[in-house]
Amino acid sequence: VIPEPSDREFHMGSVEANVDFGFATLTSATSYYDNRGGSESDNTGFYANNFPQFYYFYPRPLYTAERTFGDRALVQELRLVSKGGDSFDWIVGGFYRDQNRDVTQVSDLVGFEAFADALFPPVDFVSTDNVFTYLRDEDFTDFALFGELTWYATDRLSITAGLRYFDIESDVSTFVRAGAYDSIADSVSTPFNSTEDDVLYKLNAAYDFGDDDLLYATISEGYRRGGNNGVPTIGRFANDPGWEIYNSDNVTNMELGIKGTWNNQRYDLSVFSMDWDDPQFNTDAPVGAFFAVVNGEEAETSGLELQISGGLTDKLGYAFGYAFVDAQLSAPLVEPINIVTGLPTQIADDGAPLPGIAEHILNLAVDYITPDVAGGEVAWRLDAYYQSETQNVLQEGVLLAEEFDGFSIFDASVAWYNDAWTAALWIKNIANEEGTTGSFTPDAFGSVVDPASPFTSAEFYGSNSRQFLVLPRTFGLTVSYRF
């Protein structure tokens, strides 16, 4: 029932320089970006369905949220790449990133101060409508050295080994103020500093068993840094200190694949497995429903990918792709201690599917070329995409838990082109399919609440429940000129 504007401004610049030393090429890549913006939203449903009891069931709720974000970084990479030899190729380099990120949220329960003054005269212990303020600033630096060596053991067999050493540091300051009451409003300022260094590896073996056919196997490691949550640990919205910090997670990737050409058709088939240790998952703290990241114990993702493409005739071509992904927890997910019960809480079982990942994905494209049209050629193309159902969140039995149906998307285009000009008319999502990829469910964010619940707020207008949908039917015309 209130406007929900948003804005974003993004600037980026980059420069690349190459120096040829004869035996190798040195490349310097420097970039800087500045990404910032903000939004306003109606969070009344979130308030009414989570903690109206903290505000004496204020009967005319309007809970607003004004948010801002900023992300800026200087990134520098140097790499020296060999020109190639009979037996060895190599790459060495360094990487540096200096990043600053900030995020804020200011939420008001509009009219609450006047309500409290009328409810508790002559006591004046509320002097603001502000019930939540969140300010977070992070300075992050990332330094890395990397190298890769490829040995051509035979004319057909090559073996590659790579290492990446990284040293990262994160300094975070977080300010949280919760509660509108002058005497018991809780302000928490949480400094956080983390430094970590490690070495990641990559191994690959590739065998050319034909003129244009390759069999390969790869094993590599990945890493994602940890951090801290803006969750109060004192006062009326206090949570257990175990909610403050989440650890880094890492993954071991294994892939086996084959690719090449058969009968003038391109093919690419691979199977993969990813084993996560201490995987990071989004959830919310038990008191105050503050957003938080927690570590699980283990998760795994495995599957296969297949791509086939080629020409059925000299004018008619096709491309087909299929992916099967089995992504699930391989150990129960247990949250830190719930300060109310004094016990940790299991929120998902071993084998629970990971959110947002479709088990089956299909792609199909067909194109046809009409030659000699007004001094150029015309390309007709039809694309089809399908994905199976997905989960909204990992946590089981919560109001946000929902399963989304699979959906199909069809696109089409026709383009005329020659050596210099291209003009294309296209339409995306021809059937205007409302494929859902995520949601703030009505049960969690809407105005429909259980009248039998002691925590039910008064009925209110509006709702900030919503679905996140694929791009709707969209028409476009693209014209380009090459010179």
Side-chain angles (χ1 to χ4, degrees):
V1 296
I2 62 173
E4 294 187 308
S6 64
D7 65 89
R8 175 174 178 260
E9 186 173 342
F10 181 76
H11 300 272
M12 183 177 71
S14 63
V15 60
E16 182 175 307
N18 296 284
V19 181
D20 189 343
F21 289 111
F23 69 95
T25 299
L26 177 66
T27 299
S28 171
T30 308
S31 64
Y32 178 83
Y33 69 84
D34 189 340
N35 180 29
R36 60 183 64 248
S39 64
E40 297 179 27
S41 62
D42 180 352
N43 263 24
T44 308
F46 173 77
Y47 154 80
N49 291 322
N50 283 283
F51 41 83
Q53 67 275 20
F54 289 118
Y55 300 101
Y56 303 100
F57 301 98
Y58 174 45
R60 194 172 58 192
L62 175 59
Y63 188 85
T64 63
E66 183 175 343
R67 301 179 177 90
T68 68
F69 68 88
D71 182 3
R72 61 204 66 86
L74 173 68
V75 181
Q76 173 65 52
E77 180 174 320
L78 289 172
R79 59 183 180 274
L80 187 64
V81 181
S82 70
K83 287 294 185 67
D86 295 335
S87 299
F88 295 97
D89 278 334
W90 50 266
I91 301 172
V92 294
F95 175 87
Y96 176 77
R97 173 173 51 173
D98 184 0
Q99 181 183 33
N100 175 262
R101 299 192 299 183
D102 59 79
V103 61
T104 72
Q105 178 177 330
V106 176
S107 291
D108 293 339
L109 187 56
V110 179
F112 178 70
E113 179 189 355
F115 168 74
D117 290 344
L119 188 64
F120 300 107
V123 180
D124 185 13
F125 66 101
V126 175
S127 60
T128 178
D129 287 343
N130 177 251
V131 294
F132 180 65
T133 297
Y134 176 84
L135 310 172
R136 181 183 177 92
D137 185 84
E138 177 184 18
D139 290 315
F140 174 72
T141 58
D142 181 4
F143 171 75
L145 297 173
F146 57 86
E148 188 172 282
L149 177 66
T150 298
W151 172 42
Y152 300 101
T154 71
D155 292 341
R156 293 185 176 273
L157 177 64
S158 64
I159 299 174
T160 299
L163 294 174
R164 182 182 183 92
Y165 164 79
F166 68 86
D167 187 326
I168 64 174
E169 181 175 2
S170 181
D171 286 295
V172 184
S173 61
T174 304
F175 173 84
V176 179
R177 181 186 185 277
Y181 311 103
D182 293 344
S183 58
I184 57 174
D186 307 314
S187 298
V188 179
S189 182
T190 308
F192 172 77
N193 177 266
S194 173
T195 59
E196 192 165 359
D197 62 275
D198 202 353
V199 177
L200 306 176
Y201 71 86
K202 168 189 173 182
L203 294 172
N204 171 268
Y207 180 72
D208 294 307
F209 63 92
D211 293 337
D212 194 24
D213 300 280
L214 179 71
L215 176 67
Y216 68 91
T218 300
I219 180 171
S220 61
E221 289 184 311
Y223 166 90
R224 180 168 51 180
R225 72 183 191 262
N228 71 322
N229 296 309
V231 175
T233 57
I234 61 174
R236 191 168 192 177
F237 294 95
N239 286 274
D240 185 83
W243 286 89
E244 284 188 293
I245 306 298
Y246 60 93
N247 298 319
S248 60
D249 60 354
N250 57 79
V251 63
T252 301
N253 311 287
M254 292 175 286
E255 182 177 352
L256 177 65
I258 184 173
K259 61 176 65 178
T261 303
W262 178 77
N263 198 23
N264 293 323
Q265 310 299 305
R266 296 290 304 174
Y267 67 90
D268 188 336
L269 174 64
S270 63
V271 293
F272 61 88
S273 175
M274 303 168 61
D275 293 326
W276 285 5
D277 289 324
D278 302 321
Q280 299 172 7
F281 295 108
N282 296 334
T283 183
D284 54 8
V287 181
F290 296 99
F291 170 80
V293 178
V294 299
N295 292 101
E297 184 177 345
E298 292 180 340
E300 60 184 8
T301 302
S302 58
L304 65 87
E305 294 180 334
L306 169 66
Q307 297 181 68
I308 305 172
S309 62
L312 300 176
T313 70
D314 60 344
K315 298 178 182 179
L316 180 63
Y318 76 97
F320 170 80
Y322 170 71
F324 167 78
V325 182
D326 181 16
Q328 61 181 355
L329 289 177
S330 46
L333 177 58
V334 180
E335 288 184 335
I337 290 175
N338 184 320
I339 200 170
V340 177
T341 65
L343 299 171
T345 303
Q346 179 176 319
I347 63 173
D349 293 329
D350 181 2
L354 302 188
I357 300 177
E359 189 173 28
H360 303 280
I361 295 178
L362 286 168
N363 291 278
L364 178 64
V366 179
D367 57 78
Y368 183 81
I369 303 297
T370 303
D372 302 325
V373 178
E377 296 183 332
V378 175
W380 308 80
R381 184 178 176 93
L382 177 67
D383 291 272
Y385 168 85
Y386 167 78
Q387 74 170 45
S388 59
E389 62 274 2
T390 56
Q391 295 288 126
N392 194 30
V393 294
L394 177 66
Q395 192 169 351
E396 301 167 354
V398 297
L399 296 178
L400 274 173
E402 187 176 5
E403 183 176 286
F404 306 123
D405 294 335
F407 58 85
S408 301
I409 302 292
F410 296 92
D411 304 333
S413 66
V414 56
W416 175 90
Y417 61 92
N418 60 21
D419 292 339
W421 289 93
T422 298
L425 180 65
W426 46 266
I427 176 172
K428 297 183 178 181
N429 196 358
I430 298 172
N432 204 28
E433 175 77 19
E434 292 187 355
T436 304
T437 59
S439 75
F440 295 161
T441 62
D443 286 343
F445 290 88
S447 57
V448 179
V449 290
D450 182 3
S453 170
F455 300 130
T456 295
S457 177
E459 292 183 4
F460 57 92
Y461 292 106
S463 168
N464 65 321
S465 65
R466 64 197 69 197
Q467 292 178 305
F468 299 93
L469 305 177
V470 298
L471 184 73
R473 183 189 295 122
T474 306
F475 300 88
L477 174 65
T478 302
V479 178
S480 62
Y481 175 71
R482 292 175 294 276
F483 59 92

